Amino acid sequence: MIQFLNLLINGVIEGLVVALPALAMTLVMGVNRFPNAATGDLMTTGAYTAVILQALGVSSLLGATVLAALGTAIISVISYELIFKKLARQPMIASLLAAIGLGFLLRSVISFFAGHDQRNFKLPLVRAWNFDGVRILPSDLNIAAAALVCLLLVFFLLYKTSFGRQLRAVSDNPDLARASGIRARSLMIGLWLLVGMISAIGGVLLGMKAVVMPELGWDHLIPAFAAMVLGGIGSPVGAVLGALIMCVAQELSVPLLGPSYKLVLSFGVLALVLLIRPSGLMGRTELVR
Amino acid sequence: MIAYFVAIGIVSLIYALLALGLNLQFGLTRLVNFGIVAFFAIGAYTSALLALAGVPLLISFICATLLAGFAALPIGLLSLRLREDYLAIATLGFSEAVRITIQQEEWLTKGVQGLPGIPKVFASLGTSQADNALFVLLLALTALVAWGTVRLTRSPLGRLLRAIGDDEPALMALGKNPTKFKVQIFMLGAGLAGLAGAFYAHFITFISPEQFLPLVTFYVWMGLIMGGSGTVRGALGGAVLLMIFLEGSRFIKDWIPGVSEVQMASVRLAAVGLALILVTLYRPNGLFSGNSKT
Amino acid sequence: MNRRNLLKLSATSAALQMLPGLALAQASGVFKVGSLCPVTGAGSPYGPGMQQAIRMAVDEINAAGGAGGVKLELFTEDGQTKPDAAVLAAKKLIEINKVQALLGTWASGVTLAVMPLTDAANIIQMNTSGAPAISNLDTKDLVWRYQATNDRFGQAFAEICKKNGYKRPATMAFNNASGLGNTQGFTKAWEAAGGKVVAHVTYEPNRPSYRSELQKILDAKPDVIVTGSYLPDSTIILREWFQSGVPVKWIMPGWAANPDLVKALGNEVCEGLISVDSVSNEKSASYAHFDKMYTKATGKAGSTNVYAAMTYDMAIVLGLAIEAAGPGATVAQVNAKIREVGNPGGTAVYTFAEGKALLAKKEKINYEGASSKLDFDKFGDVTPDFGVYVIEKGELVRRDVVSIASGA
């Protein structure tokens, strides 16, 4: 029972962090209709920016994160303007390939200047709270809380502001949205800024939990994608639920399958969902032929 | 001196086989396979393990091709139900799943330790002659596959498949069932990749899971779209370009003084990324040669 | 430009690159040495330094008048820590540059892939790889290993555990040949002595958290955890361990438990951690000599790159063997001299110049290297001593040296 609880806690915390890139991917998927494979490397960009800022003397971690989020948001918008906007009329595969290329490019630029060595956020180390064998790390709670706050802000944005309403409208029905006069351009810019920010924050949180390395984001691409599909593309709530379920399932599988098969589990879940219920838990967008 | 070029030639031809396999899958049926390295790996490991157990090479090569082809069946079936970008990511996940499985099942594959001492093709001829003979064999084989692909493309079946790309409902309305053919072509492409993998294993003589990362898939894609997919000439040209890129970067470090060698790996990755972006932006025919002649 | 021109241009430039190599290949009176270090890839923390060390040694030998009446000429290539890239690079070195010895391969996969090529060309190969398979495949006795095999590392771990009185070890291994090799070597040695390993876990690279893996180990209540790990994963694991509050000791390889680890985690976490590494022969004059040159050439201390000391020794041993074999010797004859100049049975020498002088007087020498005593066993493997360091107040303090018997 204790082991189960510990694994559950691990899963929930990791799930909250994975929820961020999953959310970023589902937003782009819903509106621009392609899986943004560069999401992982946007996360890495955010993490590196923050950790380097901290190393350069920015004392507030929050401040460094905000700056990292802004920087990544700008890169995200630029990528839309220069690349993805132009590929909008092409088949999806073009955007997907370009996104992968963008991811490689970001990663290589980072490793060119910052090297391949790991970097760490300067964080105080604290002992875990031990409830009779069930361990909870205060730092993990902080991370989870930060992820939760970020998610809540995004949901507020999506469901309580006109920007969010327009975004969801375009996601559900692009033609109708266009006909009703929603200004696409500023909407898109807003979307890509948001996506960049969410990815960056996800990257920072991940980096805080682990270490910052060039492969940080790429390693989480498939789990994030699987989470998005599980939850139903285009559904923000689905993305979060999908991430939580996926990560908890991964952790709970460790006693049975061992830690090495976690990624295989993601893929297995992905394949299963695609076969049985392609629309995912909460989605309505069709993804079959 | 010649031996070096022969070695490069051999590796180019292995990539060419991979590209031809991918070309069958994507160029002909528009099935996006981001996991071709999985079939490459299956072919490599199958042939290596059989050969190390004493099986004659001809048999091990055939088994490698067949096994890789059959491994594609579940993916082929899955692909029928998926939109292309989902298939892309699903195949990527599949290739990683295959790699991890190979890595973990040590009892079979020796896992991360890898398989050393894989016998070379034509080993009885002595090293330098063996490589020359292998080169000739690969050349003939690649030419055969290329010719076969062209014939396939021009055949009624091929024309049917090219039509499938975008207009499945119309085809079905005509009473033709494309799914069986699509899956078969997919498996054929995977089998080719498996054959390439077998040649790879017996040339390098050492394989380990780390040599079958997704990056290999993207190298082949890069070569394919730079060469112009959907055409056999494109697949072959792409393989050559790819080789020049990979080996040429060895000499680049002598040209660019400021870059440390450590940074060369980043430069190489950046070049792949940039190539992918630029080709999709400015050479859309690289991906979708709707009017290709093969 | 269109594709055809691009192809032509690339082919021409590639050909032009080869010309210098062609010209020099014609020159006689040189012994050609190839270096195939992991300048890029997973071995890149060590590769550039390794290559530099070889160059240093070659320059030193040439400055002392060469060996066997000829100068040494060095050709360098990047193995990229990948077997397929390394094979092509080796082909280039062997076929175009016509090297007579290939030094400096680091990853086991690279060495294993390159060995058939060097064996077929009947040239000498020297590596710093750990896989036991290399010894078995060294049928022509042309392959020389300057790093302890993973097995021996594991044995050293077992020896240290015994000395410290630990009774319940657990192991955690990074999922690659080196990580698993270390822990499997440990388990083999530990169980052979009648002990039991209470738990083992193999973990995946590049994960953000190893809590579940660590949990599994801690649940078995070990008194010490022996790892085959690297820096990033060690950082994460130790951080999570410390925050769990469970008391346990750690024994880690030196490339993971190094000053960078302390920098990442702070003194408190690392206090008492045991770090084990094949010790450079630090008390010897050869190490001091190497360290001085290395620091001058790279700006970093020799202690930051144990593999550089090994590659330096490779070139020096090669030079001494060439000298011992005499002018006009074949590669096979040079190869036969390697044990003679490295193993006991002669006067100890600590630099190339010293060795050359004694060889001129027809005396037998025993080169004590910068990386280890360089006593080659029947497989051509060395057994470096193992330094046992304890991290105290953020510093690595050497507390012990462990020697494993050769031929084990």
Side-chain angles (χ1 to χ4, degrees):
Chain A
M1 185 58 188
I2 292 179
Q3 189 192 45
F4 172 77
L5 281 176
N6 275 324
L7 290 172
L8 186 65
I9 294 172
N10 288 353
V12 167
I13 294 176
E14 207 171 313
L16 282 172
V17 177
V18 173
L20 288 168
L23 184 57
M25 282 184 85
T26 213
L27 287 173
V28 170
M29 190 70 201
V31 174
N32 298 90
R33 313 241 178 250
F34 79 93
N36 186 1
T39 306
D41 296 281
L42 284 173
M43 288 171 78
T44 313
T45 308
Y48 264 93
T49 312
V51 82
I52 289 177
L53 283 174
Q54 205 191 31
L56 288 176
V58 175
S59 54
S60 153
L61 185 58
L62 184 63
T65 309
V66 168
L67 285 172
L70 286 174
T72 311
I74 293 175
I75 294 177
S76 172
V77 170
I78 293 177
S79 77
Y80 169 71
E81 287 288 320
L82 289 182
I83 304 176
F84 300 116
K85 190 168 78 171
K86 297 195 182 152
L87 292 175
R89 302 217 176 279
Q90 304 258 17
M92 213 166 308
I93 190 68
S95 298
L96 181 53
L97 273 172
I100 291 176
L102 177 64
F104 283 175
L105 193 59
L106 286 173
R107 202 180 325 157
S108 56
V109 168
I110 289 173
S111 60
F112 187 87
F113 290 108
H116 291 266
D117 299 330
Q118 68 176 36
R119 288 169 187 268
N120 292 280
F121 284 99
K122 294 204 247 303
L123 292 168
L125 284 171
V126 285
R127 285 269 149 91
W129 297 328
N130 194 335
F131 301 105
D132 233 7
V134 177
R135 277 185 250 282
I136 301 184
L137 277 171
S139 55
D140 273 353
L141 279 185
N142 289 340
I143 289 174
L148 208 53
V149 166
C150 184
L151 288 170
L152 287 173
L153 282 174
V154 175
F155 276 103
F156 180 81
L157 206 63
L158 287 174
Y159 290 97
K160 295 279 186 218
T161 66
S162 76
F163 165 71
R165 268 196 297 276
Q166 291 176 18
L167 210 58
R168 285 183 294 124
V170 172
S171 173
D172 284 343
N173 195 332
D175 297 322
L176 187 59
R178 215 188 340 262
S180 65
I182 293 178
R183 280 175 316 157
R185 190 185 162 88
S186 52
L187 200 64
M188 284 302 177
I189 293 184
L191 171 68
W192 284 81
L193 280 173
L194 184 63
V195 163
M197 284 195 278
I198 300 174
S199 305
I201 295 175
V204 170
L205 290 177
L206 209 52
M208 278 169 60
K209 207 171 183 316
V211 294
V212 179
M213 297 209 318
E215 289 78 36
L216 179 126
W218 173 251
D219 288 334
H220 282 80
L221 193 62
I222 295 186
F225 184 81
M228 170 178 82
V229 171
L230 177 61
I233 339 98
S235 161
V237 175
V240 178
L241 270 180
L244 282 169
I245 295 177
M246 169 94 32
C247 288
V248 167
Q250 276 188 340
E251 288 299 301
L252 291 177
S253 77
V254 170
L256 291 164
L257 298 175
S260 309
Y261 277 108
K262 277 188 205 173
L263 191 66
V264 180
L265 190 75
S266 298
F267 167 71
V269 167
L270 186 59
L272 229 76
V273 171
L274 289 174
L275 282 173
I276 300 175
R277 198 192 147 89
S279 55
L281 289 172
M282 313 206 55
R284 281 156 299 169
T285 312
E286 174 197 307
L287 52 83
V288 294
R289 294 188 162 276
Chain B
M1 171 77 163
I2 308 280
Y4 177 58
F5 286 114
V6 168
I8 296 202
I10 292 175
V11 179
S12 308
L13 288 169
I14 291 176
Y15 271 111
L17 278 176
L18 269 173
L20 284 172
L22 193 62
N23 187 43
L24 266 180
Q25 294 177 335
F26 182 65
L28 211 52
T29 65
R30 290 279 173 270
L31 290 177
V32 177
N33 185 3
F34 274 3
I36 192 157
V37 71
F39 307 108
F40 189 57
I42 291 173
Y45 266 90
T46 306
S47 186
L49 286 170
L50 286 174
L52 284 171
V55 174
L57 284 186
L58 184 61
I59 312 252
S60 70
F61 269 64
I62 293 177
C63 290
T65 313
L66 288 176
L67 199 60
F70 281 115
L73 184 58
I75 299 293
L77 291 175
L78 190 68
S79 76
L80 301 176
R81 308 193 45 180
L82 290 183
R83 204 172 55 186
E84 55 177 6
D85 48 343
Y86 283 111
L87 182 63
I89 304 262
T91 49
L92 181 65
F94 173 72
S95 77
E96 281 291 89
V98 166
R99 185 182 64 81
I100 290 176
T101 309
I102 289 178
Q103 183 182 274
Q104 290 307 112
E105 301 306 312
E106 300 180 15
W107 57 274
L108 180 63
T109 63
K110 293 259 215 69
V112 291
Q113 312 280 357
L115 294 172
I118 302 173
K120 291 190 82 137
V121 184
F122 298 129
S124 48
L125 290 179
T127 353
S128 51
Q129 294 300 16
D131 278 354
N132 294 341
L134 179 62
F135 178 73
V136 171
L137 174 64
L138 271 174
L139 201 58
L141 202 58
T142 309
L144 186 67
V145 172
W147 175 81
T149 307
V150 171
R151 289 299 308 269
L152 189 62
T153 315
R154 293 199 183 143
S155 71
L157 173 62
R159 284 198 295 271
L160 177 71
L161 288 170
R162 301 192 69 106
I164 284 177
D166 296 327
D167 217 347
E168 200 166 310
L171 272 172
M172 295 192 69
L174 285 172
K176 300 195 185 286
N177 188 346
T179 60
K180 191 172 80 167
F181 300 134
K182 276 172 103 171
V183 175
Q184 282 173 344
I185 296 294
F186 194 83
M187 289 169 67
L188 191 58
L192 270 179
L195 184 62
F199 276 111
Y200 174 82
H202 291 269
F203 177 63
I204 306 285
T205 75
F206 172 81
I207 55 174
S208 65
E210 304 171 318
Q211 293 163 251
F212 302 103
L213 292 169
L215 192 59
V216 177
T217 299
F218 290 117
Y219 275 156
V220 182
W221 269 98
M222 189 179 90
L224 192 67
I225 61 186
M226 281 200 299
S229 79
T231 75
V232 168
R233 223 178 22 202
L236 294 175
V240 174
L241 276 175
L242 187 63
M243 244 358 261
I244 291 182
F245 167 73
L246 289 175
E247 270 304 286
S249 56
R250 187 184 305 288
F251 300 105
I252 283 182
K253 71 178 189 295
D254 301 328
W255 293 349
I256 308 180
V259 173
S260 91
E261 288 157 312
V262 184
Q263 295 166 316
M264 269 319 293
S266 303
V267 173
R268 222 177 280 121
L269 189 65
V272 177
L274 210 55
L276 283 171
I277 295 175
L278 291 175
V279 171
T280 51
L281 276 177
Y282 298 118
R283 227 198 102 106
N285 287 334
L287 272 178
F288 318 103
S289 31
N291 305 325
S292 71
K293 301 150 279 200
T294 69
Chain C
M1 70 172 74
N2 69 30
R3 252 207 320 282
R4 210 175 303 136
N5 285 343
L6 178 63
L7 265 152
K8 272 199 247 172
L9 181 64
S10 312
T12 318
S13 44
L16 280 172
Q17 279 287 317
M18 310 263 196
L19 284 180
L22 276 175
L24 284 170
Q26 306 303 320
S28 58
V30 223
F31 190 97
K32 303 202 187 75
V33 181
S35 127
L36 191 55
C37 300
V39 179
T40 59
S44 60
Y46 311 105
M50 290 165 72
Q51 184 175 292
Q52 187 72 5
I54 297 179
R55 193 175 288 284
M56 265 167 38
V58 167
D59 289 344
E60 184 183 339
I61 291 172
N62 288 341
V70 297
K71 299 265 180 179
L72 264 56
E73 194 183 352
L74 181 63
F75 300 89
T76 63
E77 281 298 326
D78 175 13
Q80 297 180 31
T81 325
K82 288 201 290 211
D84 31 8
V87 159
L88 289 172
K91 281 256 172 201
K92 178 210 175 249
L93 287 171
I94 296 173
E95 308 290 344
I96 296 192
N97 302 122
K98 305 259 186 268
V99 299
Q100 294 154 287
L102 190 62
L103 315 181
T105 53
W106 178 82
S108 295
V110 166
T111 303
L112 285 166
V114 160
M115 271 170 68
L117 298 174
T118 55
D119 269 0
N122 288 315
I123 63 174
I124 297 169
Q125 209 282 328
M126 298 185 174
N127 64 81
T128 67
S129 306
I134 292 172
S135 312
N136 302 333
L137 290 169
D138 179 20
T139 49
K140 290 193 184 176
D141 200 29
L142 283 168
V143 178
W144 305 90
R145 189 208 302 253
Y146 282 62
Q147 152 82 298
T149 61
N150 295 328
D151 262 357
R152 289 213 176 91
F153 240 101
Q155 284 174 30
F157 283 158
E159 185 65 27
I160 294 165
C161 272
K162 198 173 85 178
K163 272 188 168 183
N164 279 295
Y166 297 126
K167 295 276 189 291
R168 299 175 52 84
T171 53
M172 294 183 77
F174 185 94
N175 200 357
N176 76 352
S178 167
L180 270 176
N182 288 341
T183 54
Q184 282 168 352
F186 169 80
T187 304
K188 210 161 71 180
W190 189 253
E191 288 179 349
K196 194 162 119 48
V197 175
V198 304
H200 168 79
V201 98
T202 305
Y203 60 86
E204 288 300 301
N206 300 328
R207 306 284 323 175
S209 160
Y210 292 107
R211 275 192 69 186
S212 351
E213 290 86 340
L214 188 59
Q215 199 56 47
K216 184 170 158 210
I217 293 284
L218 292 175
D219 283 345
K221 302 208 191 344
D223 51 11
V224 69
I225 302 179
V226 176
T227 73
S229 59
Y230 292 89
L231 184 60
D233 37 291
S234 303
T235 309
I236 298 173
I237 291 173
L238 282 173
R239 189 194 293 140
E240 290 178 332
W241 158 72
F242 182 78
Q243 295 179 318
S244 76
V246 176
V248 81
K249 290 286 183 203
W250 292 86
I251 301 182
M252 296 186 146
W255 51 79
N258 61 15
D260 285 335
L261 186 70
V262 179
K263 204 166 79 170
L265 293 172
N267 294 1
E268 204 190 336
V269 178
C270 300
E271 187 68 23
L273 207 146
I274 299 176
S275 168
V276 183
D277 216 337
S278 44
V279 67
S280 300
N281 213 351
E282 279 168 30
K283 297 223 170 55
S284 72
S286 41
Y287 181 78
H289 177 79
F290 157 75
D291 193 19
K292 203 168 78 177
M293 280 171 51
Y294 188 76
T295 314
K296 198 165 103 175
T298 66
K300 291 198 273 223
S303 56
T304 60
N305 192 346
V306 61
Y307 300 104
M310 291 175 198
T311 54
Y312 173 79
D313 280 342
M314 284 179 193
I316 299 291
V317 165
L318 185 63
L320 286 172
I322 296 172
E323 180 69 19
T330 64
V331 171
Q333 289 168 331
V334 170
N335 189 57
K337 291 287 176 185
I338 290 180
R339 281 199 184 83
E340 232 180 78
V341 302
N343 289 7
T347 321
V349 297
Y350 300 95
T351 66
F352 176 75
E354 272 180 46
K356 184 171 174 180
L358 285 180
L359 282 172
K361 294 194 246 167
K362 301 276 185 254
E363 283 184 37
K364 277 185 162 289
I365 60 168
N366 173 11
Y367 174 61
E368 302 281 82
S371 61
S372 77
K373 297 187 303 237
L374 294 178
D375 296 338
F376 297 99
D377 67 5
K378 66 178 189 234
F379 295 112
D381 298 343
V382 298
T383 25
D385 292 332
F386 292 95
V388 184
Y389 301 80
V390 181
I391 301 186
E392 296 171 3
K393 295 208 190 23
E395 298 287 327
L396 280 122
V397 180
R398 183 143 95 197
R399 288 272 162 228
D400 198 2
V401 172
V402 168
S403 296
I404 306 288
S406 308

